[in-house]
Structures are given as structure tokens and as C-alpha cells.
Amino acid sequence: MERFQKFILLPFILAASLTGLGFCYSILNGPTNATVLAGSEARFNCTVENGWAILIWLLNTNPVLTVINSQGPIETSERFTSHSYNNSQSFTSELIIHNTQLNDSGKIECSIQKLDGSSFAFLSVQVNGSLLIKNSTLIVKENTTVEIVCEALGWAPAPDIMWMTNDSLIDKSRYVTQQSQGSNDLHNALSVLTMTPTNTEILTCLADIEALPNPQNASIAVIVGNSTLGK
Ligand SMILES: *[C@@H]1O[C@H](CO)[C@@H](O)[C@H](O)[C@H]1NC(C)=O
Ligand SMILES: *[C@@H]1O[C@H](CO)[C@@H](O)[C@H](O)[C@H]1NC(C)=O
Ligand SMILES: *[C@@H]1O[C@H](CO)[C@@H](O)[C@H](O)[C@H]1NC(C)=O
Ligand SMILES: *[C@@H]1O[C@H](CO)[C@@H](O)[C@H](O)[C@H]1NC(C)=O
Ligand SMILES: *[C@@H]1O[C@H](CO)[C@@H](O)[C@H](O)[C@H]1NC(C)=O
Ligand SMILES: *[C@@H]1O[C@H](CO)[C@@H](O)[C@H](O)[C@H]1NC(C)=O
Ligand SMILES: *[C@@H]1O[C@H](CO)[C@@H](O)[C@H](O)[C@H]1NC(C)=O
Ligand SMILES: *[C@@H]1O[C@H](CO)[C@@H](O)[C@H](O)[C@H]1NC(C)=O
Ligand SMILES: *[C@@H]1O[C@H](CO)[C@@H](O)[C@H](O)[C@H]1NC(C)=O
Ligand SMILES: *[C@@H]1O[C@H](CO)[C@@H](O)[C@H](O)[C@H]1NC(C)=O
């Protein structure tokens, strides 16, 4: 029993005397990369060993929130708030960035104001733009090749475009997608599908970015009409 207690006590005494020196604490877990949709919130954690004095959050090198051990968090903007999780071994500060904007993208850093006492990650703020197929329901003659156009406007970054017919993906060789720069750092994409429908099909254009839980989509019906139709 006595031996067991020594085992427990030794590291404790060591830790206590070292933190007593006032510099032997470090960041145990820094923030991790996050990808969010503009307008939503982004959260980052920074966990420091006990003995810490100050913790500073920086976004693209600008200080946005400071936590002082003896006082708690000092918040100066409604956009940057925090939660504190304190326990006997460590302290975790969770930074919450509200109403994220595209230009919040970049480096998020947790500093404990000492040499090597810094850890960082990246925030990517993305924009869910619009998506539409420029053609409405099409009635085509048998054996005719048509071009169907899907347009994505105002995205960040430019979305990946895919096409589906009914429930299956269409091979990439059957469409061409071009990306272009829009206004305000947003991106557009225009995808042209070339097809010769043989049957009635529901065509779906899908646009995806990492921050979306599911791709956005737009659909039209292509109806193969009788040869007497359309001419
Ligand atoms: C975090 O994001 C940066 C920049 O996009 C990237 O270089 C890095 O590999 C990412 N780290 C992890 C762990 O995914
Ligand atoms: C931060 O840590 C707290 C406490 O462990 C946890 O509840 C929260 O989900 C974490 N937040 C992030 C962004 O990982
Ligand atoms: C965390 O807890 C310790 C001791 O329990 C206390 O001294 C310290 O002020 C607390 N820090 C914060 C930021 O709440
Ligand atoms: C970021 O963008 C917002 C609006 O989109 C703007 O109000 C703000 O001034 C910009 N911030 C910086 C640092 O450019
Ligand atoms: C993305 O935008 C579309 C079209 O405005 C909307 O229907 C969809 O709900 C949005 N997705 C998210 C996750 O906000
Ligand atoms: C679909 O719309 C695009 C753009 O408006 C047009 O160029 C194309 O000819 C249309 N396709 C058909 C089959 O009508
Ligand atoms: C469509 O093509 C097939 C095979 O080439 C042919 O058998 C059929 O007669 C064609 N139909 C029309 C309406 O041209
Ligand atoms: C696609 O779906 C439509 C409507 O549900 C159906 O009439 C058609 O036969 C289907 N086409 C194929 C190729 O499966
Ligand atoms: C298209 O989006 C709607 C609404 O988000 C979803 O219910 C549907 O499953 C999507 N369709 C495809 C083919 O992904
Ligand atoms: C087209 O219409 C003719 C009569 O108008 C009919 O005999 C033929 O079966 C129809 N073909 C298809 C593919 O619907």
C-alpha cells in the first residue's frame, strides 16, 4: 500500500514543483482544422497544462480573444466568444467564431505567450451558392443529341459538379465543366452535358463543397417523344 502511494505521489510532487517554477506548462492539444458554411459558427479547442498564465486566440495573426487564468476570458467582440472547461490537470478554452465570413478563412492560433507555446490550425469558410439547370423540361425526338446546361453561381470554393440520370451517376466523359471567377471572391461553374436520350430520364445536376452535408441539386425531366413530335 505504501509503495503504491509513493508511485502516485512522486509524479504529483514533480509536477507540482515544476509548475511552481512557472514555465513548465505547455499546450497539450491545439486547435484542429475546420470547414464551415459562411454565416454559421466555427469552434476550436486549445488545452493547456495547469500552471498556464495567459492564453491568446489569434485569427490571421490578429488577437481576437484572451483568457487570463486568474480572471477568465476577456471578450471584446460579439463575434468571438468562448467556453472554459477547467479541471485539475488541464484547462481547455473553446473559441467560438459566430457568423463566419469568407474573409475569416485562414490561420487560427492559440498562444500561451512563451517560446514554442503556440499551436495553430486552419479555418475554411465556404459559400453555398445557387444551382440551376438552364433548360426546363425537354421533349426530344428519338436519336437526337442534346446539350443540357447546369449553372452554379456564387460559390466558394468552386463546387465539384456531377450529373445523374435517374439514380445513377453519368460518366465524366459525357460532360464538360468550366469554372470562372465571380464577384466578391466567389466562383461560378458551368457544366454542359451531351446526351442522346433513349428513354424518359430524370436528369440531376449536383454541386458539392466540403462544408455541405449533402450536395445541392437541380433536376429536369427529359422526355423522349414520338418521332412525329418536334418536327
Ligand atoms: C489543415 O489545413 C491545412 C491548410 O489547408 C493543410 O495544409 C493541413 O494538412 C491540414 N491539416 C490536417 C491535419 O488536416
Ligand atoms: C472542446 O472540448 C469540450 C470539452 O471536452 C467539448 O465538449 C467540445 O465539443 C470541444 N469542441 C471542439 C470544437 O472540439
Ligand atoms: C481553473 O481552476 C483553477 C483551480 O481550480 C483556478 O485557480 C483558475 O482560476 C481556474 N481558471 C479559470 C480560467 O477558470
Ligand atoms: C470581411 O468581410 C466582411 C463582409 O463580408 C466585411 O464587413 C469586413 O470588413 C471584412 N473584414 C476584413 C478584415 O476585410
Ligand atoms: C444551400 O443552398 C440551397 C439553395 O439555396 C438550400 O436549399 C440549401 O438548404 C443550402 N444548404 C445548406 C446546408 O445551407
Ligand atoms: C439548354 O439550355 C442551353 C442554355 O440556355 C442552350 O444553349 C441549349 O441549347 C439548351 N438545350 C436544349 C436541348 O434545348
Ligand atoms: C434510332 O436509331 C436506331 C438505331 O440506330 C434505329 O433503329 C431507329 O430506327 C432510330 N429511330 C429513329 C426515329 O430514327
Ligand atoms: C427513369 O425514371 C423515369 C421516371 O421515373 C422512368 O419512366 C424511366 O423509365 C427511367 N429510365 C431509366 C433509363 O431507368
Ligand atoms: C436533391 O436534394 C434534395 C433536398 O436536399 C434531396 O432530398 C434529394 O435526395 C437530392 N437528390 C439527389 C439525387 O441527391
Ligand atoms: C409514335 O407514334 C406512332 C403513331 O403516331 C406510334 O405508332 C409509335 O409507336 C410511337 N412511337 C413511340 C416511340 O412512342
Side-chain angles (χ1 to χ4, degrees):
M1 203 50 172
E2 229 174 274
R3 203 134 135 249
F4 183 64
Q5 273 176 343
K6 268 187 205 152
F7 264 109
I8 305 270
L9 274 174
L10 191 62
F12 178 75
I13 291 166
L14 262 179
S17 57
L18 287 175
T19 51
L21 297 174
F23 59 80
C24 206
Y25 52 88
S26 58
I27 296 178
L28 296 174
N29 258 310
T32 54
N33 285 358
T35 299
V36 301
L37 282 179
S40 64
E41 58 177 44
R43 293 169 177 255
F44 298 92
N45 273 353
C46 186
T47 301
V48 292
E49 255 176 299
N50 269 356
W52 64 285
I54 187 166
L55 186 157
I56 303 163
W57 283 106
L58 303 105
L59 175 57
N60 289 321
T61 72
N62 297 312
V64 293
L65 189 139
T66 299
V67 191
I68 297 174
N69 195 342
S70 53
Q71 267 175 270
I74 298 168
E75 295 168 356
T76 51
S77 157
E78 285 180 351
R79 281 228 305 134
F80 303 97
T81 65
S82 73
H83 275 165
S84 297
Y85 304 90
N86 203 357
N87 68 37
S88 54
Q89 272 90 47
S90 65
F91 171 83
T92 300
S93 173
E94 182 178 47
L95 175 73
I96 304 158
I97 306 177
H98 302 269
N99 187 22
T100 51
Q101 302 295 308
L102 200 51
N103 59 13
D104 289 333
S105 293
K107 190 176 177 183
I108 187 90
E109 185 176 356
C110 165
S111 166
I112 51 174
Q113 196 171 302
K114 63 175 221 161
L115 211 59
D116 297 329
S118 149
S119 177
F120 62 86
F122 291 90
L123 168 63
S124 166
V125 178
Q126 305 194 335
V127 177
N128 175 24
S130 68
L131 186 73
L132 76 108
I133 295 183
K134 300 194 84 161
N135 312 87
S136 45
T137 300
L138 281 179
I139 300 174
V140 296
K141 280 202 302 181
E142 226 184 320
N143 295 350
T144 40
T145 297
V146 291
E147 286 194 341
I148 296 164
V149 178
C150 179
E151 185 176 57
L153 293 177
W155 293 70
D160 285 326
I161 304 283
M162 286 181 306
W163 289 85
M164 291 178 83
T165 170
N166 283 6
D167 291 323
S168 48
L169 283 173
I170 296 180
D171 191 84
K172 285 192 186 317
S173 63
R174 289 172 55 193
Y175 52 91
V176 176
T177 304
Q178 275 185 321
Q179 297 177 351
S180 63
Q181 185 79 42
S183 51
N184 304 317
D185 291 325
L186 299 174
H187 302 265
N188 305 328
L190 195 75
S191 187
V192 181
L193 171 73
T194 304
M195 67 174 316
T196 309
T198 53
N199 203 334
T200 293
E201 298 177 31
I202 305 297
L203 280 178
T204 305
C205 169
L206 301 134
D208 202 16
I209 49 174
E210 191 188 339
L212 278 180
N214 295 300
Q216 204 188 131
N217 69 62
S219 296
I220 58 158
V222 175
I223 299 161
V224 178
N226 202 291
S227 50
T228 55
L229 274 169
K231 182 108 203 218

